[in-house]
Structures are given as C-alpha cells and as structure tokens.
C-alpha cells in the first residue's frame, strides 16, 4: 500500500459500495427463485439483467464518479484533513523527509497525465516542486528575488534547496520534471520542444549539483533524460557545434553510467554506434554495434527499452547499420542487412510504435531505392506501413508523399502512375513539408525530407508540358526545397555534415535547373492586351472629368475607391508570422552553432555546456505559447 496513492485507502466509500452490491443481491435473488416456482421467464430474465448490470454499477460509480470528482480539484489533495505534504519534517540533520506524501503527489501527477488532464498535471507538479524550494527570508523582496535568480541551478532550485534533499526526494523531482516535459508536449505539440528541452537540461543540472546524487544507488532515472536530450540535439532544439561533439560526449557519459543494467547498456551502445556511423567512422560504428548485438536479447530487452525510452532504438540501429555498408562501398551487404531486418526484426516489432517503425523504414528505403530496388522498396513499404500512420502527429505528413515517390521515381515505368490523379498530387506536393524536428532526426538516418520533397517536385514537373503554370510552380518549389536540403546537409562553410544524406541529394539540383532552362526557352504571353485602348476608362488625363468650358473637375466617383480591397490570404513571411492577437512571433529556426569545449565529460560542467544561450530563447518561446494564440496569416 505504501507504493500506491493514499486515496485508494478510502474504506468508508468502499464499504458503501459493497453494501450497495449486497442490496442488489438480497432484493433480486428471491425474485429470481420465485420465477422458477411460478414459471415466469420474462420476470426471471428481467431480474437477472438487473442483477448483472447492478452489481458492477456500484463499482463503476465509485471509480468513475467518486474518483474523477476528486481529480477535479486543482489543489494538492488533502489526506486525513491536512495537506498532502503535512508529513514533511526535519530529521535533525536539515534533511527534508515526507517520502510517502511526495510519492503520492508523483502518482497523482502520473494519473492526471494518463487521463488527459494536462493542465491539472502541470499545476500539481509546480505546487509539488515548490514544496522543496526554500522561502526567501530577505525583507527586501525584489533584491531577494534577484539574488535567488542568480543562484538558481535549474527549475527554480538553488544550491541551498538541493543540499537539503535526500536521494529519494531527488529522484522524485527528476521524475516530476520528466512528467512535466511530456505534459507540455501533449498540450502544445512541437511548439513545446524548447520548453521540454529546458526541463531536461534543468534535470541534468539538478542531478549534477545535488549532493544526494552521489548517494543514489540507482541513477537509471537519468537515462531517459539523456535519450530526450539526444533527440533534441539532433533536432536542433539544443545548440551544438557542427561536428556534433556534444552529442558524442552525451552518449559517452550515457555509456559509462548505464553499465549497471543490460537493457540500458545496449541502448547506449546503439547510440554510440549510430553517432560514429553518421560521421563516417564506420569501423568504430561496427565495433559498438557488434558489442550491442552480443548483449541484446529482443524478447527480454525490447519491452523494457520501449517502456523507458518510448522507442526501441536498438532495433532501429540494426536498420541504420545497413547505411554503414554503403559508406564502405559494399551495397550487397547493405541489401542483405535490409533483408535481415525485414525477416527478423519487423515481424516482432510493436506496430503501435510508429516513430520507431519509420526510423526503420527510412534507412531501408534509402538503401533499396538508391541501389536499383525501387519495386522492392515500394512493396516493402506497402506491406509494413501500419494502418492509421497517416494520422500520426509527426510521421503522418510523410506517408502519402512516400507512397507517391516510390510510384513515380526513377526505376518505375510511367505506366505505373495514374495521370488523372496528377492534379491532386501536385497540390499535395506543393504544400508538403515536415516539421524541422522530424526532418533533422530523419536526416541522420540517411536522407532528408527536404530532398524527398525536391525529388517529388522534379518527377511531377518532368511529366508536364514545358511552360505550364503547374510545372513552373513545381520547379520553383523543388529548387526551394533542394536549397534547404543542401543547407541541412552541409555546414555554413560548405563542409559535408550528413554524408549519406548529401549523396542521396546529388543530381536533384542539376535536373531541376535543366527543367527550368527548358521552361525559360518557352515564350510566355504578356498579361496586357496590345491593342487595348488605354484611354477608354477615363474621360480626361489622370482620370479627371472635363466640364463643357474645358475646366478640369477633380471630382472622382465613389465607385473608384470600391475597386481597392486588401488581400486577406496568401500573404506570408518566411521569417515571421502574425498571430491572431497581432503580436509577431519569431521563426523557431535558429543558428545551431556552439564554440564550447567538447573534450570534457566531467560531471560538474557537462550539462552547463548544453545551450546556456538557449535560456532566453526558451523564455521567449514560453511567452509565445502562453500569450500568443494559433498562428494565422494576415496581410
């Protein structure tokens, strides 16, 4: 019972529930018996239904009404007539106790999050975290607040606050920060990534600066935080240098700390293997990969990895390893690895993990499509893409364009494509794009979504007549997406950053420009009529009417002003968009460069290297989410 919320121990309500069930049985059982004596099938059926439905009804009332009505309170629940944290005391050494009440608050936060009461989750977590924060005793509140702000380690905690914590309290704080980050993502979607990243960094700083971290017997609660930070590093939410050395240091620390449990260890080994493969050090990548495969047990480890990390990235690493054979110039081995993943990994993979599935699909299609196996890639994707994937918040936008690409790309005969669908396909591709977070994570698995969009524009445009408006629009959009792909694949100095993604994009630029050259050779009609009488619309120069005596009258008809209207749609700005409150919101795209030290993995200074400069950015994003409504386009 100590591990469950104290609200379960509501004996009085449970007693009334069982009394109600007994009352149903006592009042209806004799009637059922009498129907056998007097042979009344209709009454017997009715009373039987009343008993079957009535018995669970009381329990349903207790769970659905009593429990959920208790959750309606936005305050920390009261237990035994006092605050949920009334059991917090001082043990004589200055350490805060009250683990039962704190554990209860954590359970309640998890319960709120699971049933979708996200705002209540955030309020409860903030109230719970405030309990561990010391009160400012300075009489001058403004100066006290400023001093406290300067001393803050993370999430509002000062070093003095952290010194009072025990290992269990520290673990609960870290757990609450994880739940809060997930709740923000549910509430705000992709806009909350900077806030979630800030909470993860705060959690790392709290762990580093809290003396109780050295007393923790199990630090595995930090490993999901490392995993989240790695995703946000790859997604560009957290700044790092072009060589991604900060990411390497994170994985190295993860590897050294995760050797206490095998399923955490294989996850960290896979992360290191993928990083080395991405930067071209294939031999080191295979070294860590082989170590991972020697430890990894799919039946035992896969459920634990999914539970702790949401995605079974070890299975993804198998698929990503096919790309390393391409870098070694061994396409046959790459194709064999794809076959192994299709036969051994995918059949047992959880189809509910759509993000993980797509991280497996992406490198396999990268290998098959670029090595003459387009038809096989199309059959593979059609077979393994789960139902409902088009509705996924992160991956759904890619599904239909992927199906179209595998239908019209090089290697497929033109007869495979139904031309009557071209108009709707063109409209879809002209609007197609993926969130930056999705693209920047997929680009590490072999190719960019921007390259995909540019190639789709290319293959649709080459099927249209030169000089047509649709073709010109496709070429313009393709060149735009191709330029963005090149920017993603290279650094500001023009050095290649994503090797395989850069190779996958080769040739698309040249083919789009060749189509543009064909279009430029086509004569285009001018909008103005050559023979039109330009003076027909007015009676005199400058639109002024003439009086009979030849004097100009500068009177203009009221109908003239009605010709002018303000454009209310179709206007956009690449650098900013205006919300419905009229406040400009800056684009989230930022420069992702950092010149910090990359060689140290020391505990004290590690998390401070993760985007100190992003604090002001996170605050502005927070203000935008809190104060700015949904984005709309205005003139």
């Amino acid at each position: 019972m100590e591990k469950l919320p104290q609200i379960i121990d509501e004996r009085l309500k449970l007693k009334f529930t069982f009394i109600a069930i007994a009352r149903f049985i006592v009042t209806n059982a004799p009637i059922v018996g009498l129907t056998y004596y007097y042979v009344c099938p209709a009454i017997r059926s009715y009373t039987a239904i009343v008993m079957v439905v009535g018995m669970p009804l009381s329990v349903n009332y207790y769970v659905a009404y009593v429990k959920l009505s208790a959750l309606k309170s936005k305050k920390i629940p009261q237990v035994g007539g006092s605050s949920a944290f009334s059991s917090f005391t001082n043990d004589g050494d200055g350490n805060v106790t009250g683990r039962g009440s704190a554990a209860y608050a954590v359970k309640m936060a998890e319960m709120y999050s699971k049933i979708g009461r996200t705002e209540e989750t955030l309020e409860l977590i903030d109230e719970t975290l405030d309990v561990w924060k010391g009160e400012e005793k300075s009489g001058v509140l403004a100066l006290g607040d400023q001093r406290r702000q300067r001393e803050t380690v993370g999430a509002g905690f000062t070093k003095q606050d952290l010194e009072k914590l025990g290992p269990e309290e520290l673990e609960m704080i870290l757990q609450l920060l994880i739940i809060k980050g997930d709740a923000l993502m549910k509430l705000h979607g992709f806009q909350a990534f900077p806030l979630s990243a800030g909470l993860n960094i705060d959690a790392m700083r709290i762990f580093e600066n809290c003396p109780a971290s050295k007393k923790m017997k199990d630090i595995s609660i930090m490993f999901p935080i490392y995993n989240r930070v790695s995703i946000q590093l790859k997604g560009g939410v957290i700044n790092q240098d072009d060589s991604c050395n900060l990411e390497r240091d994170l994985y190295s620390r993860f590897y050294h700390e995760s050797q206490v449990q095998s399923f955490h260890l294989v996850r960290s080994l896979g992360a290191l293997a993928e990083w080395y493969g991405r930067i071209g050090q294939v031999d080191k990548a295979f070294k860590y990969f082989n170590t991972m495969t020697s430890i990894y047990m799919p039946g035992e480890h896969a459920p634990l990895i999914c539970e702790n990390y949401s995605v079974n990235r070890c299975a993804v690493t198998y698929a990503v390893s096919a790309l390393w054979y391409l870098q070694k110039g061994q396409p046959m081995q790459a194709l064999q690895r794809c076959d192994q993943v299709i036969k051994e990994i995918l059949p047992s993979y959880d189809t509910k993990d759509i993000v993980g599935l797509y991280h497996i699909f992406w490198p396999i299609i990268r290998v098959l499509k670029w090595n003459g196996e387009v038809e096989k890639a199309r059959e593979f994707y059609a077979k393994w893409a789960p139902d409902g994937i088009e509705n996924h918040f992160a991956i759904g936008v890619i599904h239909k364009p992927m199906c179209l690409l595998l239908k019209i790309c090089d290697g497929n005969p033109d007869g495979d494509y139904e031309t009557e669908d071209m108009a709707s396909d063109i409209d879809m591709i002209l609007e197609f794009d993926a969130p930056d977070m999705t693209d920047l994570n997929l680009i590490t698995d072999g190719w960019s979504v921007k390259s995909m969009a540019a190639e789709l524009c290319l293959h649709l445009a080459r099927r249209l007549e030169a000089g047509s408006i649709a073709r010109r629009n496709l070429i313009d959009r393709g060149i735009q997406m191709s330029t963005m792909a090149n920017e993603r694949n290279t650094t500001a100095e023009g050095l290649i950053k994503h090797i395989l993604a850069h190779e996958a994009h080769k040739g698309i630029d040249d083919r789009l420009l060749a189509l543009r050259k064909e279009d430029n050779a086509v004569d285009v009609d001018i909008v103005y009529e050559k023979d039109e009488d330009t003076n027909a619309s007015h009676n005199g120069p400058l639109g002024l009417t003439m009086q009979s005596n030849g004097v100009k009258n500068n009177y203009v008809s009221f109908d003239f002003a009605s010709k002018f209207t303000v454009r209310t749609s179709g206007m956009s700005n690449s650098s900013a968009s205006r919300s419905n409150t009229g406040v400009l919101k800056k684009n989230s795209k930022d420069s992702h460069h950092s010149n910090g030290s990359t060689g140290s993995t020391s505990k004290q200074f590690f998390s401070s290297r993760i985007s100190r400069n992003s604090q002001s950015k996170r605050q502005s994003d927070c203000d935008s989410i809190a104060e700015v409504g949904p984005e709309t386009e205005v003139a």
Side-chain angles (χ1 to χ4, degrees):
M1 290 296 293
E2 292 181 357
K3 295 182 180 180
L4 298 175
Q6 297 180 14
I7 196 172
I8 293 178
D9 192 22
E10 297 171 348
R11 295 180 177 86
L12 184 61
K13 294 185 178 63
L14 288 173
K15 179 181 177 181
F16 289 152
T17 300
F18 288 117
I19 289 175
I21 293 174
R23 186 178 300 163
F24 271 112
I25 297 175
V26 170
T27 56
N28 289 278
I31 299 175
V32 176
L34 289 173
T35 57
Y36 283 96
Y37 181 78
Y38 290 104
V39 190
C40 299
I43 299 177
R44 183 189 311 150
S45 300
Y46 173 76
T47 53
I49 292 172
V50 170
M51 289 186 63
V52 171
V53 175
M55 289 173 63
L57 235 143
S58 299
V59 179
N60 291 341
Y61 167 80
Y62 174 74
V63 173
Y65 182 79
V66 176
K67 287 287 192 180
L68 293 182
S69 64
L71 297 180
K72 292 172 69 175
S73 172
K74 295 184 179 180
K75 299 296 182 181
I76 295 179
Q78 302 292 313
V79 180
S82 59
S83 171
F85 287 90
S86 60
S87 58
F88 273 90
T89 58
N90 193 301
D91 63 1
D93 296 329
N95 295 323
V96 178
T97 60
R99 299 165 188 170
S101 297
Y104 162 69
V106 173
K107 291 290 182 182
M108 288 298 296
E110 290 177 342
M111 186 186 304
Y112 281 141
S113 181
K114 288 179 180 178
I115 66 175
R117 300 180 69 92
T118 310
E119 295 181 355
E120 285 84 350
T121 302
L122 297 174
E123 291 184 19
L124 176 59
I125 290 174
D126 289 338
E127 289 184 23
T128 307
L129 292 175
D130 287 341
V131 173
W132 282 295
K133 298 174 184 177
E135 296 292 337
E136 183 62 51
K137 298 181 179 180
S138 173
V140 184
L141 295 179
L143 293 177
D145 290 341
Q146 292 176 6
R147 185 171 71 252
R148 183 178 181 84
Q149 183 67 29
R150 288 195 300 268
E151 296 174 351
T152 297
V153 174
F157 287 92
T158 65
K159 290 186 177 181
Q160 291 78 8
D161 298 332
L162 299 179
E163 289 173 357
K164 301 176 182 178
L165 299 177
E168 292 81 3
E169 285 77 26
L170 174 59
E171 183 174 353
M172 292 174 192
I173 290 173
L174 297 175
Q175 189 174 355
L176 287 170
L177 292 176
I178 292 174
I179 298 172
K180 183 175 181 179
D182 293 340
L184 286 170
M185 290 298 300
K186 291 179 182 178
L187 190 62
H188 299 295
F190 282 101
Q191 287 183 319
F193 267 116
L195 300 177
S196 176
L199 289 172
N200 293 329
I201 296 172
D202 287 343
M204 294 176 65
R205 289 172 176 161
I206 289 171
F207 179 76
E208 290 179 358
N209 288 274
C210 183
S213 62
K214 299 177 182 178
K215 303 176 184 178
M216 293 178 66
K217 297 179 181 179
D218 182 9
I219 61 171
S220 60
I221 192 170
M222 290 300 300
F223 303 154
I225 296 175
Y226 294 158
N227 182 69
R228 284 169 166 81
V229 171
S230 70
I231 294 172
Q232 290 155 352
L233 277 168
K234 289 191 291 185
V237 180
I238 299 175
N239 295 329
Q240 66 171 331
D241 61 340
D242 288 328
S243 299
C244 304
N245 288 317
L246 185 57
E247 197 175 336
R248 176 203 60 195
D249 293 345
L250 175 67
Y251 294 148
S252 298
R253 178 171 181 171
F254 184 13
Y255 167 68
H256 288 296
E257 293 182 357
S258 64
Q259 299 184 32
V260 293
Q261 290 176 300
S262 57
F263 74 93
H264 289 306
L265 178 60
V266 294
R267 173 66 188 95
S268 63
L269 286 167
L272 274 172
E274 289 185 36
W275 186 85
Y276 279 109
R278 184 164 19 117
I279 66 171
Q281 297 187 25
V282 180
D283 292 335
K284 283 189 176 181
F286 275 115
K287 172 186 173 183
Y288 285 107
F289 176 76
N290 293 333
T291 306
M292 184 199 81
T293 56
S294 66
I295 303 173
Y296 180 61
M297 296 180 288
E300 180 180 343
H301 290 156
L304 294 172
I305 293 173
C306 288
E307 180 182 353
N308 286 267
Y309 300 99
S310 300
V311 172
N312 182 4
R313 192 71 201 190
C314 290
V316 175
T317 306
Y318 274 92
V320 173
S321 65
L323 302 175
W324 308 337
Y325 286 112
L326 292 183
Q327 294 187 67
K328 295 184 72 174
Q330 301 173 347
M332 293 305 299
Q333 286 85 341
L335 292 170
Q336 291 173 3
R337 178 55 54 84
C338 290
D339 291 337
Q340 178 189 1
V341 173
I342 294 172
K343 293 177 181 178
E344 300 178 9
I345 301 295
L346 282 176
S348 60
Y349 198 88
D350 184 6
T351 56
K352 295 179 182 178
D353 179 14
I354 294 180
V355 173
L357 274 175
Y358 226 86
H359 276 288
I360 294 176
F361 295 164
W362 201 253
I364 289 179
I365 293 174
R366 168 66 175 87
V367 173
L368 296 177
K369 177 180 176 297
W370 275 267
N371 287 277
E373 298 287 349
V374 176
E375 189 67 24
K376 184 176 181 179
R378 182 164 60 180
E379 294 174 356
F380 157 75
Y381 187 74
K383 177 180 179 180
W384 291 103
D387 295 335
I389 190 173
E390 65 276 5
N391 299 321
H392 191 269
F393 77 100
I395 303 300
V397 69
I398 306 176
H399 173 63
K400 289 183 179 179
M402 176 66 80
C403 295
L404 179 61
L405 177 65
L406 297 177
K407 185 186 295 184
I408 67 174
C409 67
D410 295 331
N412 281 300
D414 289 344
D416 289 352
Y417 181 58
E418 299 293 338
T419 54
E420 58 266 21
D421 296 333
M422 184 174 290
S424 60
D425 289 340
I426 289 173
D427 291 339
M428 175 181 69
I429 298 308
L430 288 175
E431 297 292 331
F432 169 57
D433 198 3
D436 287 348
M437 189 74 176
T438 300
D439 182 33
L440 289 169
N441 273 278
L442 286 176
I443 199 174
T444 62
D445 294 335
W447 51 307
S448 171
V449 177
K450 308 297 182 186
S451 294
M452 178 183 179
E455 187 176 356
L456 280 165
C457 292
L458 166 67
H459 292 305
L460 287 173
R462 67 184 177 86
R463 287 173 163 82
L464 299 176
E465 183 180 357
S468 67
I469 297 299
R471 175 176 161 126
R472 288 179 180 272
N473 290 338
L474 285 167
I475 293 173
D476 290 342
R477 178 66 171 174
I479 292 175
Q480 177 191 17
M481 301 305 286
S482 180
T483 302
M484 296 176 69
N486 285 324
E487 291 175 354
R488 293 276 165 90
N489 295 332
T490 57
T491 67
E493 293 77 19
L495 304 176
I496 298 174
K497 183 176 181 180
H498 298 288
I499 301 171
L500 288 172
H502 177 75
E503 292 179 357
H505 190 70
K506 281 182 178 178
I508 295 178
D509 278 331
D510 295 337
R511 295 177 68 181
L512 283 168
L513 291 174
L515 294 179
R516 168 64 63 80
K517 187 175 181 180
E518 293 176 5
D519 272 21
N520 290 339
V522 177
D523 292 332
V524 181
D525 292 335
I526 299 175
V527 68
Y528 307 105
E529 295 291 343
K530 296 181 180 179
D531 299 329
E532 181 182 4
D533 184 6
T534 57
N535 295 322
S537 60
H538 54 80
N539 298 322
L542 301 178
L544 304 178
T545 59
M546 303 290 294
Q547 295 181 0
S548 58
N549 57 4
V551 180
K552 297 178 182 179
N553 182 3
N554 63 349
Y555 168 80
V556 181
S557 172
F558 286 108
D559 293 336
F560 182 70
S562 64
K563 297 179 181 180
F564 298 89
T565 58
V566 178
R567 180 179 296 180
T568 58
S569 63
M571 300 293 290
S572 63
N573 190 321
S574 60
S575 62
S577 60
R578 187 178 296 271
S579 72
N580 57 1
T581 59
V583 181
L584 281 178
K585 180 180 176 184
K586 294 183 179 179
N587 194 315
S588 60
K589 184 177 179 183
D590 236 339
S591 175
H592 307 305
H593 303 287
S594 173
N595 58 0
S597 172
T598 57
S600 171
T601 58
S602 63
K603 179 177 178 181
Q604 183 63 31
F605 299 104
F606 181 79
S607 64
S608 62
R609 294 170 46 210
I610 303 182
S611 183
R612 285 184 180 274
N613 296 330
S614 66
Q615 289 182 358
S616 60
K617 178 178 180 297
R618 285 190 278 110
Q619 181 62 41
S620 64
D621 286 336
C622 181
D623 295 339
S624 299
I625 291 174
E627 300 176 6
V628 180
E631 296 180 2
T632 58
E633 291 182 344
V634 299

Coordinates of all heavy atoms in Angstrom, one line a residue, residues 274-305:
E274 N 25.6 4.6 -33.8 CA 24.9 5.4 -34.8 C 25.7 6.7 -35.0 O 25.8 7.2 -36.1 CB 23.5 5.7 -34.4 CG 22.6 4.5 -34.5 CD 21.1 4.8 -34.2 OE1 20.7 5.9 -34.6 OE2 20.4 4.0 -33.6
W275 N 26.2 7.3 -33.9 CA 27.0 8.5 -34.0 C 28.2 8.3 -34.8 O 28.5 9.1 -35.7 CB 27.3 9.1 -32.6 CG 27.9 10.4 -32.6 CD1 27.3 11.6 -32.7 CD2 29.3 10.7 -32.7 NE1 28.2 12.7 -32.8 CE2 29.5 12.1 -32.8 CE3 30.5 9.9 -32.7 CZ2 30.7 12.8 -32.8 CZ3 31.7 10.6 -32.7 CH2 31.8 12.0 -32.8
Y276 N 29.0 7.3 -34.5 CA 30.2 7.1 -35.3 C 29.9 6.8 -36.7 O 30.7 7.2 -37.6 CB 31.0 6.0 -34.6 CG 31.9 6.4 -33.4 CD1 31.5 6.0 -32.2 CD2 33.0 7.2 -33.6 CE1 32.3 6.5 -31.1 CE2 33.7 7.7 -32.5 CZ 33.4 7.3 -31.3 OH 34.1 7.7 -30.2
G277 N 28.8 6.0 -37.0 CA 28.5 5.8 -38.4 C 28.1 7.0 -39.1 O 28.4 7.2 -40.3
R278 N 27.4 7.9 -38.4 CA 27.0 9.2 -39.1 C 28.1 10.0 -39.5 O 28.1 10.7 -40.5 CB 26.0 9.9 -38.1 CG 25.4 11.1 -38.7 CD 24.3 11.7 -38.0 NE 24.1 11.3 -36.6 CZ 24.2 12.1 -35.5 NH1 24.4 13.4 -35.7 NH2 24.0 11.6 -34.3
I279 N 29.2 10.1 -38.7 CA 30.3 10.9 -39.0 C 31.4 10.2 -39.9 O 32.4 10.8 -40.2 CB 31.0 11.4 -37.8 CG1 31.7 10.3 -37.0 CG2 30.1 12.2 -36.9 CD1 32.6 10.8 -35.8
G280 N 31.1 9.0 -40.4 CA 31.9 8.3 -41.3 C 33.0 7.4 -40.7 O 33.7 6.7 -41.5
Q281 N 33.0 7.2 -39.4 CA 34.0 6.3 -38.7 C 33.3 5.0 -38.6 O 32.9 4.5 -37.5 CB 34.4 6.9 -37.4 CG 35.2 8.2 -37.5 CD 35.8 8.6 -36.2 OE1 36.0 7.8 -35.3 NE2 36.0 9.9 -36.0
V282 N 33.2 4.3 -39.8 CA 32.4 3.1 -39.8 C 32.9 1.9 -39.0 O 32.2 1.1 -38.4 CB 32.2 2.6 -41.3 CG1 31.4 1.4 -41.4 CG2 31.6 3.8 -42.1
D283 N 34.3 1.8 -39.0 CA 34.9 0.7 -38.2 C 34.5 0.8 -36.7 O 34.2 -0.2 -36.1 CB 36.4 0.7 -38.4 CG 36.8 0.3 -39.8 OD1 36.0 -0.3 -40.5 OD2 37.9 0.8 -40.2
K284 N 34.6 2.0 -36.2 CA 34.2 2.2 -34.8 C 32.7 1.9 -34.6 O 32.2 1.4 -33.6 CB 34.5 3.6 -34.3 CG 36.0 3.8 -34.0 CD 36.2 5.1 -33.3 CE 37.6 5.3 -32.8 NZ 37.9 6.6 -32.1
A285 N 31.9 2.3 -35.6 CA 30.4 2.1 -35.5 C 30.2 0.6 -35.4 O 29.3 0.2 -34.6 CB 29.8 2.7 -36.7
F286 N 30.8 -0.2 -36.3 CA 30.6 -1.6 -36.2 C 31.1 -2.3 -34.9 O 30.6 -3.3 -34.4 CB 31.2 -2.3 -37.4 CG 30.4 -2.3 -38.7 CD1 30.7 -1.6 -39.8 CD2 29.2 -3.0 -38.7 CE1 29.9 -1.6 -40.9 CE2 28.4 -3.0 -39.8 CZ 28.7 -2.3 -40.9
K287 N 32.1 -1.7 -34.4 CA 32.7 -2.2 -33.1 C 31.6 -2.1 -32.0 O 31.3 -3.0 -31.3 CB 33.9 -1.4 -32.7 CG 34.5 -1.7 -31.3 CD 35.6 -0.7 -31.0 CE 36.0 -0.9 -29.5 NZ 37.1 0.1 -29.1
Y288 N 31.0 -0.9 -31.8 CA 30.0 -0.7 -30.8 C 28.7 -1.5 -31.2 O 28.0 -2.1 -30.3 CB 29.6 0.8 -30.7 CG 30.7 1.5 -29.9 CD1 31.5 2.4 -30.5 CD2 30.8 1.4 -28.5 CE1 32.5 3.1 -29.9 CE2 31.8 2.1 -27.8 CZ 32.6 3.0 -28.5 OH 33.6 3.7 -27.8
F289 N 28.4 -1.6 -32.5 CA 27.2 -2.4 -32.9 C 27.4 -3.8 -32.6 O 26.4 -4.5 -32.1 CB 27.0 -2.2 -34.4 CG 25.9 -3.0 -35.0 CD1 24.6 -2.6 -34.8 CD2 26.1 -4.1 -35.7 CE1 23.5 -3.3 -35.3 CE2 25.1 -4.9 -36.2 CZ 23.8 -4.5 -36.0
N290 N 28.5 -4.4 -32.8 CA 28.8 -5.8 -32.6 C 28.7 -6.1 -31.1 O 28.2 -7.2 -30.6 CB 30.1 -6.3 -33.1 CG 30.1 -6.3 -34.6 OD1 29.1 -6.4 -35.3 ND2 31.3 -6.1 -35.2
T291 N 29.2 -5.2 -30.3 CA 29.1 -5.3 -28.8 C 27.6 -5.3 -28.4 O 27.1 -6.1 -27.5 CB 29.8 -4.2 -28.1 OG1 31.2 -4.2 -28.5 CG2 29.8 -4.5 -26.6
M292 N 26.8 -4.4 -29.0 CA 25.4 -4.3 -28.7 C 24.7 -5.6 -29.1 O 23.9 -6.1 -28.3 CB 24.8 -3.1 -29.5 CG 23.3 -2.9 -29.2 SD 22.5 -1.9 -30.4 CE 22.1 -3.1 -31.6
T293 N 24.9 -6.1 -30.2 CA 24.2 -7.3 -30.7 C 24.6 -8.5 -29.8 O 23.8 -9.5 -29.7 CB 24.6 -7.6 -32.1 OG1 26.0 -7.7 -32.3 CG2 24.0 -6.5 -33.0
S294 N 25.8 -8.5 -29.3 CA 26.2 -9.7 -28.4 C 25.5 -9.7 -27.1 O 25.4 -10.7 -26.4 CB 27.7 -9.6 -28.2 OG 28.1 -8.5 -27.4
I295 N 25.0 -8.5 -26.7 CA 24.3 -8.4 -25.4 C 22.7 -8.3 -25.6 O 22.0 -8.9 -24.7 CB 24.7 -7.1 -24.6 CG1 26.2 -7.1 -24.4 CG2 24.0 -6.9 -23.3 CD1 26.8 -5.8 -23.9
Y296 N 22.3 -7.8 -26.7 CA 20.9 -7.5 -26.9 C 20.1 -8.8 -27.0 O 20.4 -9.7 -27.8 CB 20.7 -6.7 -28.2 CG 19.3 -6.3 -28.5 CD1 18.5 -5.6 -27.6 CD2 18.7 -6.8 -29.7 CE1 17.2 -5.3 -28.0 CE2 17.4 -6.4 -30.0 CZ 16.6 -5.7 -29.2 OH 15.3 -5.4 -29.5
M297 N 19.0 -8.9 -26.2 CA 18.1 -10.0 -26.2 C 16.7 -9.5 -26.6 O 16.1 -8.9 -25.7 CB 18.1 -10.8 -24.9 CG 19.4 -11.5 -24.6 SD 19.3 -12.3 -23.0 CE 19.3 -11.0 -21.8
P298 N 16.2 -9.6 -27.8 CA 15.0 -9.0 -28.2 C 13.8 -9.3 -27.3 O 13.0 -8.4 -27.0 CB 14.8 -9.5 -29.6 CG 16.1 -9.9 -30.1 CD 16.9 -10.4 -28.9
G299 N 13.6 -10.5 -27.0 CA 12.5 -10.9 -26.2 C 12.4 -10.3 -24.8 O 11.4 -9.9 -24.3
E300 N 13.6 -10.1 -24.2 CA 13.7 -9.6 -22.8 C 13.9 -8.1 -22.8 O 13.2 -7.3 -22.0 CB 14.8 -10.2 -22.1 CG 15.0 -9.7 -20.7 CD 16.1 -10.4 -19.9 OE1 16.6 -11.5 -20.4 OE2 16.6 -9.9 -18.9
H301 N 14.7 -7.6 -23.7 CA 15.1 -6.2 -23.7 C 14.1 -5.2 -24.4 O 13.9 -4.1 -23.9 CB 16.5 -6.0 -24.3 CG 17.6 -6.5 -23.5 ND1 18.8 -6.9 -24.0 CD2 17.7 -6.8 -22.1 CE1 19.6 -7.4 -23.0 NE2 18.9 -7.3 -21.9
A302 N 13.5 -5.7 -25.5 CA 12.6 -4.8 -26.3 C 11.5 -4.2 -25.4 O 11.3 -3.0 -25.5 CB 12.1 -5.6 -27.5
P303 N 10.7 -5.0 -24.6 CA 9.7 -4.3 -23.8 C 10.2 -3.3 -22.8 O 9.6 -2.2 -22.6 CB 9.0 -5.5 -23.1 CG 9.4 -6.7 -23.9 CD 10.7 -6.4 -24.4
L304 N 11.4 -3.6 -22.2 CA 12.0 -2.7 -21.2 C 12.4 -1.4 -21.9 O 12.3 -0.3 -21.4 CB 13.1 -3.4 -20.5 CG 12.7 -4.6 -19.6 CD1 14.0 -5.3 -19.1 CD2 11.9 -4.1 -18.4
I305 N 13.0 -1.5 -23.1 CA 13.5 -0.3 -23.8 C 12.3 0.5 -24.2 O 12.4 1.8 -24.1 CB 14.3 -0.7 -25.0 CG1 15.6 -1.4 -24.6 CG2 14.7 0.5 -25.9 CD1 16.5 -2.0 -25.7

